[in-house]
Amino acid sequence: MNVLYTAQATVEGEGRKGKGSTNDDRLNVELSVPKGLGGDDGPGTNPEQLFAVGYAACFHGALKKVAREAKASVDGSTIESAVSIGSGDDGFGLSVDLTVTIPGLAQAEVQKLVDAAHQVCPYSKATRGNIEVNLTAKTA
């Protein structure tokens, strides 16, 4: 792989209850444990929320790339991301639901673009075969 960019971050404290920041200090967040995992829903964010934003942003970039190649407009498109954590036979695991809404296109065209974006998105590639990722394509 020809590395084009590397994000660097540090977490300190008690893992899910501490502080996280990037080396350039563009992201500097307090971390807290959600009630569903035994926490108190403190003032901070959690890894699942950060992953949800990251995956949605990356997928949106992939969608725009495949749309440009297909000469399709995805103006006004949105990606809603839900990252769930749960326990199974082999310990904790994640699942992701992505809802992609593209106004002004037929349902078949939206589905085609979503499927293509899922093939090129780096987050989709990283999760493929590892966690369940559900895609929903919608028109507006």
Side-chain angles (χ1 to χ4, degrees):
M1 178 174 77
N2 179 28
V3 175
L4 302 174
Y5 172 75
T6 300
Q8 296 176 315
T10 301
V11 171
E12 55 189 55
E14 301 173 33
R16 287 180 163 271
K17 189 175 182 182
K19 179 183 173 185
S21 61
T22 55
N23 67 320
D24 61 5
D25 211 32
R26 289 183 180 193
L27 179 67
N28 193 329
V29 295
E30 190 172 333
L31 302 170
S32 63
V33 180
K35 285 183 182 179
L37 294 176
D40 61 4
D41 250 355
T45 189
N46 61 64
E48 292 72 36
Q49 290 173 322
L50 295 169
F51 187 64
V53 169
Y55 200 158
C58 188
F59 199 92
H60 209 193
L63 178 68
K64 289 181 177 197
K65 177 190 185 308
V66 299
R68 273 192 310 275
E69 292 170 355
K71 297 182 180 13
S73 173
V74 293
D75 290 346
S77 59
T78 60
I79 313 292
E80 295 175 51
S81 176
V83 173
S84 299
I85 185 169
S87 61
D89 295 339
D90 60 348
F92 285 101
L94 297 174
S95 67
V96 176
D97 292 295
L98 296 175
T99 301
V100 181
T101 304
I102 305 173
L105 295 180
Q107 179 65 34
E109 182 68 12
V110 173
Q111 188 65 56
K112 184 177 176 182
L113 290 171
V114 168
D115 291 343
H118 191 47
Q119 293 306 307
V120 300
C121 173
Y123 275 60
S124 292
K125 288 179 181 181
T127 59
R128 189 168 292 122
N130 296 312
I131 67 171
E132 182 181 340
V133 176
N134 301 299
L135 302 171
T136 302
K138 295 170 47 176
T139 62

